[in-house]
């Protein structure tokens, strides 16, 4: 049986068991023609995190998986942490997951099959010495007085998929916004013996804070160590482009992943694909360098895999591409460069 049928059937069966069937779509990577590994009748692996970690690095794995595995899990939280009280500690990220057979010559493929908030509140905090795109923060001082600390608690109407915030000092006394759940942090262990704190994005993924990392998106990550060492966390019920105040609607979520490998194919920076676009995430400071990384990698993707000549790829990305400012608050800024799939020829 072709791999896309095997993996699609496996996810569909798991969807009936977990209420996902009505939102299921086959993973984009299922059409890569890789050999089947997982049995279509094998149930998803359920993983309950018991701790969070503060860095992306090589460390003993919490879970070992084979390519083709589907994992039902959640982001980590503990009583009294950041999500529950002002000044509460950040709970850390979940991981690492060790992917059997993954090598630095391969690409890790992570399909976000399901992503749903699992509590009725989300918080967004303004901190005088925190991180901000438009005010002085811990990295960039300005002469203006620091903003006062303030913690906004949004109510999540999960049945209606809406976020609600009271605005007692504004003309509109409340506001509602549709939720768009996303994962801020998706990472592998960085190269060598490096360990990056959870706030950092880079070529390993990390805290990209890209709103495109949502249900239905396939994320492609470079691999720097055998096993890849995959991490995830930092769920946002909603986040605007740039994350300018330094936080989205921070909450916890249930998440289902499907894992796979593209053997013998290496990438340099994280890629994503959804129903509409192929995307590359570049992270650096200044912002223009993140933009350059993402655009160059996107152009080279069109050349390497879609048969474009280099200058012609440069031209069509210049005219038909679009970009998202994912974050301008983290130690590195992140840009996501996109190209519409409707303009792509079949892969070579």
């Amino acid at each position: 049986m072709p791999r896309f049928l095997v993996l699609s059937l496996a996810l569909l069966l798991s969807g009936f068991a977990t209420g996902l069937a009505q939102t299921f779509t086959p993973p984009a990577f299922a059409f890569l023609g890789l050999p089947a590994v997982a049995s279509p009748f094998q149930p998803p692996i359920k993983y309950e995190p018991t701790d969070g970690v503060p860095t992306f690095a090589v460390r003993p794995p919490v879970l070992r998986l084979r390519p083709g595995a589907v994992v039902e899990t959640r982001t980590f939280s503990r009583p009294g942490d950041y999500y529950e009280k002002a000044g509460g500690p950040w709970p850390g990220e979940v991981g690492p997951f060790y992917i059997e057979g993954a090598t630095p010559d391969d690409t890790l493929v992570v399909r976000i099959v399901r992503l749903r908030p699992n509590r009725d509140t989300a918080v967004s905090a303004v901190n005088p010495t925190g991180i901000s795109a438009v005010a002085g923060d811990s990295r960039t001082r300005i002469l203006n007085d620091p903003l006062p600390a303030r913690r906004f608690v949004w109510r999540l109407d999960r049945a209606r998929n809406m976020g609600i915030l009271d605005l007692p000092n504004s003309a509109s006394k409340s506001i509602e916004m549709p939720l768009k759940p996303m994962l801020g942090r998706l990472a592998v262990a960085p190269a060598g013996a490096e360990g990056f704190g959870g706030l950092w994005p880079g070529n390993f993924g990390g805290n990209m804070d890209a709103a495109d990392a949502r249900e239905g998106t396939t994320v492609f990550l470079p691999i720097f160590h055998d096993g890849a060492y995959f991490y995830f966390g930092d769920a946002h019920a909603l986040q605007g482009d740039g994350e300018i105040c330094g936080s989205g609607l921070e909450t916890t979520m249930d998440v289902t992943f499907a894992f796979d490998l593209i053997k013998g194919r290496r990438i340099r920076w994280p890629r994503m694909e959804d129903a509409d676009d192929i995307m590359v995430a570049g992270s650096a400071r200044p912002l223009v360098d993140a933009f350059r990384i993402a655009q160059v990698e996107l152009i080279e993707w069109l050349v390497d895999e879609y048969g474009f000549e280099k200058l012609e790829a440069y031209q069509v990305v210049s005219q038909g591409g679009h970009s998202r400012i994912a974050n301008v608050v983290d130690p590195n800024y992140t840009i996501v460069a996109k190209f519409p799939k409707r303009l792509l020829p079949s892969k070579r």
Side-chain angles (χ1 to χ4, degrees):
M1 180 182 292
R3 182 174 185 78
F4 78 90
L5 291 178
V6 172
L7 199 47
S8 297
L9 181 56
L11 288 173
L12 186 58
L13 290 173
S14 71
F16 282 116
T18 59
L20 303 182
Q22 61 183 356
T23 61
F24 170 79
T25 54
F29 62 85
F31 299 93
L32 294 172
L34 303 176
V37 175
S39 163
F41 304 106
Q42 179 180 349
I45 298 166
K46 296 183 183 294
Y47 177 72
E48 181 69 18
T50 58
D51 200 3
V53 295
T55 59
F56 307 117
V58 174
R59 55 168 51 88
V62 298
L63 187 65
R64 287 180 175 265
L65 304 169
R66 296 180 66 197
V70 177
V71 178
E72 294 178 353
T73 184
R74 63 178 180 85
T75 57
F76 181 68
S77 178
R78 56 167 54 95
D81 66 12
Y82 174 89
Y83 300 109
E84 293 190 358
K85 69 176 185 179
W90 183 254
E93 276 53 69
V94 179
F97 294 175
Y98 187 98
I99 312 302
E100 302 286 354
T103 78
D105 290 327
D106 308 326
T107 296
L108 179 63
V109 185
V110 184
R111 169 78 171 185
I112 306 173
V113 179
R114 185 176 190 266
L115 184 63
R116 305 292 170 85
N118 56 19
R119 67 174 66 198
D120 294 327
T121 58
V123 297
S124 182
V126 175
N127 297 309
T129 58
I131 50 179
S132 171
V134 294
D137 62 19
S138 58
R139 293 179 177 82
T140 305
R141 294 181 60 214
I142 61 174
L143 289 177
N144 294 19
D145 292 335
L147 291 175
R150 189 166 176 187
R151 180 178 168 90
F152 295 88
V153 180
W154 291 65
R155 299 186 303 280
L156 302 184
D157 185 334
R158 290 184 279 167
R160 296 171 54 233
N161 196 45
M162 299 292 291
I164 304 158
L165 179 66
D166 292 331
L167 303 170
N169 303 314
S170 299
S172 298
K173 295 307 178 184
S174 68
I175 194 169
E176 292 189 357
M177 298 185 189
L179 301 179
K180 298 179 182 179
M182 53 166 281
L183 284 172
R185 305 183 190 187
L186 295 158
V188 295
E194 292 178 323
F196 280 85
L199 277 177
W200 282 83
N203 60 354
F204 56 91
N207 191 35
M208 299 178 287
D209 284 319
D212 304 285
R214 58 185 182 265
E215 185 173 303
T217 296
T218 301
V219 181
F220 305 85
L221 295 170
I223 297 172
F224 302 98
H225 302 271
D226 288 352
Y229 295 91
F230 171 76
Y231 294 87
F232 72 94
D234 191 25
H236 300 172
L238 180 66
Q239 179 207 294
D241 288 348
E243 197 186 15
I244 64 171
C245 77
S247 66
L249 299 196
E250 314 278 343
T251 190
T252 55
M253 294 195 194
D254 296 325
V255 56
T256 300
F257 294 114
F259 293 92
D260 218 325
L261 295 172
I262 305 176
K263 297 296 292 181
R265 187 182 300 172
R266 302 179 66 179
I267 59 175
R268 289 175 291 268
W269 285 85
R271 297 177 176 181
M272 289 182 277
E273 180 177 348
D274 63 14
D276 299 317
D277 297 293
I278 63 171
M279 303 169 255
V280 177
S283 298
R285 284 202 188 196
L287 184 63
V288 68
D289 281 355
F291 184 87
R292 288 167 175 152
I293 290 167
Q295 301 296 340
V296 168
E297 291 288 328
L298 182 61
I299 290 167
E300 292 184 347
W301 190 356
L302 265 61
V303 171
D304 293 342
E305 298 187 23
Y306 290 97
F308 283 85
E309 185 267 338
K310 186 174 182 178
L311 284 180
E312 292 175 354
Y314 181 27
Q315 177 61 206
V316 299
V317 169
S318 295
Q319 311 311 331
H322 54 123
S323 301
R324 178 191 297 279
I325 300 175
N327 95 77
V328 284
V329 294
D330 295 333
N332 283 329
Y333 301 150
T334 302
I335 290 282
V336 179
K338 308 183 185 186
F339 193 76
K341 292 169 69 174
R342 61 181 174 80
L343 300 178
L344 292 172
S346 299
K347 282 191 177 183
R348 293 190 298 183

